[in-house]
Amino acid sequence: MNSFSIRENKTLKEKYYYTTLDCGLRITVIPKDLPNSFAFVCCNFGGADIEYEHNGKRYELPAGTAHFLEHKMFECADGSDAFLEFERFGGNANAYTSFENTCYYFGCTDNFYENLDVLLRAVSEIHITDDSVAKERKIIEREIKMYEDLPSSIVNRNLSRALYHAHPTIYPISGTVETIANITKSTLEQAFAHFYAPTNLSLCVCGNINPEEIKAYAEKYFAKDSSSRPTTLFPDEPMKVAQSEISTSSVVASPLYSIGIKCPAFKNHDRDSFRKATAMRLAISLTFGRASDFYCQNYEKGLLNERFYAGYTNSRQSAHIVISGSGNEYKQVFDLVKFELEHRKKVFFSEEQLLREKKAAYAESITLFDSGEDLTSVAVSNAFYDFDEFDCIDILRDVTFDEVKDALCSIDLNNVALSIIKSNERKGIMQ
Amino acid sequence: MKIVSKTLNEGVFLSSFKTDKFKSSLMTVSFALPLDVETASGYSLLTNLLSLSTADFPDMQTFSIIKDELYALGLDAYVQRRSEILLVTLEINTIADSFAFNGEKVLFRACELLGSAIFNPFLQNGVFPEKNVESEKKCLIEEIASAIENKPSFALKRARQILCEGEPFAVDAGGEIERVAELNGKELADFHRYIINNAPVYITYAGEAEQEYLEECIREHLHFEPRNYVLPKPTVHKKRDSILRVQESMEMEQSILILGFSLEMPKNARDRAILSVYDEIFGGSASSKLFMNVREKEGLCYYCSSYPSGRKNVLFVSCGLEPGFEEKATDAIYREVNAMKDGDFSENELENAKNSIIRSVRSIESSLGSLNGYMLGQALLDDSVSVEENLELVKSVTKDDVIALAKTVEPELEYILNAEDAE
């Protein structure tokens, strides 16, 4: 008997119900009184899943397989499209793939259970043909080319290639035209069989919804499953960067740059790693945020502009700081960034500055609960971890001054790389 | 849906929606102006300066710190276009008072800061200081120039400029590099004085504040004197006799095709309802004819969508293509345009489209951004109707209405931004 447990946060006036079915499917139900209801299904299979082990056997997939499969999952048994089914019931459906996972979802104002039926059927079956795979390959090639025409996407992709030697993050999530050429009907069927088992899926719904009814619907589509979850295999990744600089040219107004600093990766995505990541994020926003000395002084000198960004990203067995922007003075900014980090290791911020930064981060965290769609998309992937959205706010509050300082001091400036997109001489349009 | 609309003073309007379903609140203050190439650059640069500092917080760091103390207050200023109206908008996105520590009155303090940014910018001898002006000019010029990096939206902008040449619709709200470069602190102070004293003001608010408290915040910090105003009417696009074909090229991986059409000018709320149903069936959704046939059946592109304007008689279709497939895609899109004229869509498709629009209207209450956007859009219309009336209008749209509109859709522009290989 799988009854629902309840988690509640009285300060935020929020709660949710959660359970795991016998088949292994995780379910989260978030009550929310807004006109739109949402349902997300998350498969723990993303761009980083290239080599993996399943039932004692090793497998390798072409880069872009998870994303390709995402494109094909809304294809129905009769060759029709689940989008049309959603439309019939007024569901607004979509899907996306990240390095970590693939999510399918819909939002609706009416006919929630009819739409849920369409969604659960779509993710629990696969119906593809050689022809439909070949046709989809052409569409995905267009999508890849579209991103290749976006310099802001290229500068960050190149940064990953500079920072990492072999980690799958060096490949775009959608793969490349070359890798997707190797994805066939059987590749997709194998990936579906291994990764789309209920033990590797989670379902999260948000709205005026009865949790017991959700359970009944889910049980219709997912039978008991004894297969183990595939284990993703990551190649050994040295701490040293693969290349210290990578440069290309494109149609840009002025050079785009992305500075990366490789950080130790966390083995697991758990509460402890989230706490460390929170400390690092606070350290980065104190140092390079909009109210920082660094940003304000260099903005006034004309070295930075509104496009400047600083953040920290940690994914599966990869972690790095990204500092990006645009302008001809990228070499100078690169040196200033390194200088500022060394300086802040010696002269750290005050308790008062950290409190202000935490206040700002708190406001940002609680507004997640303002959007049913955003909240559901975060909660559906958090279902795989040992912390939730409430913990994130508590961790933010509890992180200490010393933890934030330690995070900053741990940054190793020997592991820095610079990605640049220079302005093409023949930039602009030709008539 | 209970939107409270009030005229605070002649030419000063407030639309608000009280809701306790969010942990933040959003207020926008917009000044409406004619979209004019002579002035757009000045207003665009002015918004950058207004969000940079105030007389009380003259450097950007103290201004940023005070915003962080107010829970990372999102105080933003930007220009936006609504058909041929230019809006200079300043907005504050704050945490709701009930979620602040120690019972702080965040909205009141946020309005104070917003009022300071609007009425009391940092000036020296009555003009914006040269140092700030030059620094923001550099940033804005970079921003305008960087539009070239997003090829689909750049191509759409070029198509709009070409199809509507000489009309306000062709003007970019963000301004032009050459005009921005010529601006000085005095001209910007003049632009500022003009909006404060003359332009109609539209304030919108969605959040937990009671009307009385909201009006107190506005009375204290956002008081505008009465002003005479006339909102510019949208001009009618003059149809061309023949299709204009323009090709440009850029170093990139895929070509972008934009087709421009003229159609009957929407004259009232019912016409806009018919246009929205037409667009939903034709190219505005993932179940539309363009998506299902040009992308899914023909596999010609990753995206193929239509972009109508509720207040202008033009419509664009955009798609990204493998070079060499432009003609095939053009034919495929024209086939769908003609299918709409022939009424080649079922009553079921019509009902699905209407239901989809009705759901989006009902969904407005799901986000502060869409609530404020909707209230502003309605306030700007001189023939606006209530949400309920709007839903009734959508429900009343018939297949014949859609066909009648479809028959007025005529091709006028075939614009191709060709992919040119890197050398």
Side-chain angles (χ1 to χ4, degrees), chain B residues 176-230:
Chain B
E176 293 179 347
I177 290 174
E178 297 73 20
R179 288 176 193 269
V180 171
E182 288 169 3
L183 289 161
N184 61 47
K186 184 184 172 305
E187 287 169 287
L188 289 158
D190 291 342
F191 280 120
H192 177 249
R193 249 192 313 279
Y194 183 80
I195 62 166
I196 296 301
N197 298 319
N198 303 90
V201 187
Y202 296 86
I203 303 175
T204 66
Y205 170 83
E208 65 167 18
E210 296 290 347
Q211 188 72 15
E212 199 181 327
Y213 172 44
L214 172 65
E215 289 188 32
E216 183 198 338
C217 294
I218 292 170
R219 212 168 31 246
E220 285 290 322
H221 303 301
L222 295 164
H223 174 76
F224 291 92
E225 293 298 327
R227 68 260 340 265
N228 291 319
Y229 79 102
V230 182

Side-chain angles (χ1 to χ4, degrees), chain A residues 75-95:
Chain A
E75 195 163 298
C76 305
D78 60 359
S80 67
D81 200 305
F83 277 120
L84 292 175
E85 282 285 288
F86 282 117
E87 191 203 45
R88 193 154 72 90
F89 298 118
N92 191 4
N94 213 335

Side-chain angles (χ1 to χ4, degrees), chain B residues 107-122:
Chain B
L107 182 64
F108 193 82
R109 290 185 58 203
C111 284
E112 184 180 6
L113 205 60
L114 180 62
S116 174
I118 292 172
F119 296 108
N120 202 14
F122 177 45

Side-chain angles (χ1 to χ4, degrees), chain A residues 148-318:
Chain A
E148 285 177 3
D149 279 335
L150 207 58
S152 55
S153 158
I154 299 295
V155 74
N156 285 320
R157 200 179 90 192
N158 284 352
L159 180 67
S160 294
R161 287 171 50 208
L163 288 172
Y164 297 95
H165 295 257
H167 189 279
T169 193
I170 59 177
Y171 297 107
I173 291 164
S174 51
T176 63
V177 171
E178 293 73 32
T179 64
I180 67 164
N182 298 319
I183 297 175
T184 62
K185 178 173 173 273
S186 69
T187 320
L188 298 174
E189 284 170 341
Q190 175 201 304
F192 177 79
H194 291 173
F195 286 94
Y196 279 66
T199 45
N200 208 36
L201 296 173
S202 76
L203 165 68
C204 180
V205 300
C206 175
N208 270 320
I209 292 155
N210 176 354
E212 290 302 326
E213 282 193 71
I214 298 299
K215 205 164 86 177
Y217 268 85
E219 277 167 344
K220 248 172 49 181
Y221 288 100
F222 298 103
K224 194 166 171 65
D225 188 281
S226 54
S227 64
S228 58
R229 283 170 68 183
T231 308
T232 307
L233 303 172
F234 290 95
D236 288 337
E237 179 65 41
M239 268 313 289
K240 291 279 169 220
V241 299
Q243 281 171 267
S244 59
E245 189 172 315
I246 186 163
S247 173
T248 182
S249 67
S250 183
V251 180
V252 289
S254 61
L256 299 189
Y257 60 84
S258 205
I259 301 161
I261 308 168
K262 205 168 176 180
C263 302
F266 301 112
K267 197 161 171 45
N268 298 308
H269 195 56
D270 55 18
R271 183 186 288 259
D272 183 52
S273 67
F274 185 82
R275 187 177 177 110
K276 289 186 172 121
T278 301
M280 182 63 94
R281 286 197 181 94
L282 285 167
I284 295 303
S285 50
L286 274 167
T287 314
F288 299 112
R290 287 294 192 254
S292 66
D293 290 350
F294 180 87
Y295 180 73
C296 294
Q297 287 166 9
N298 290 306
Y299 185 98
E300 283 178 2
K301 283 181 196 160
L303 294 175
L304 305 180
N305 55 39
E306 282 284 329
R307 298 177 87 179
F308 183 77
Y309 163 83
Y312 167 77
T313 172
N314 67 313
S315 183
R316 291 159 71 180
Q317 303 210 13
S318 69

Side-chain angles (χ1 to χ4, degrees), chain A residues 361-412:
Chain A
Y362 161 75
E364 208 171 293
S365 304
I366 70 163
T367 51
L368 171 69
F369 294 87
D370 281 355
S371 160
E373 183 171 347
D374 293 349
L375 178 61
T376 319
S377 77
V378 170
V380 77
S381 52
N382 278 351
F384 291 109
Y385 311 131
D386 70 344
F387 62 94
D388 63 14
E389 307 74 66
F390 299 152
D391 292 321
C392 295
I393 293 170
D394 291 343
I395 289 169
L396 176 66
R397 186 194 57 215
D398 294 344
V399 164
T400 64
F401 183 83
D402 287 342
E403 283 175 288
V404 179
K405 190 176 177 186
D406 288 349
L408 188 94
C409 291
S410 74
I411 296 169
D412 184 350

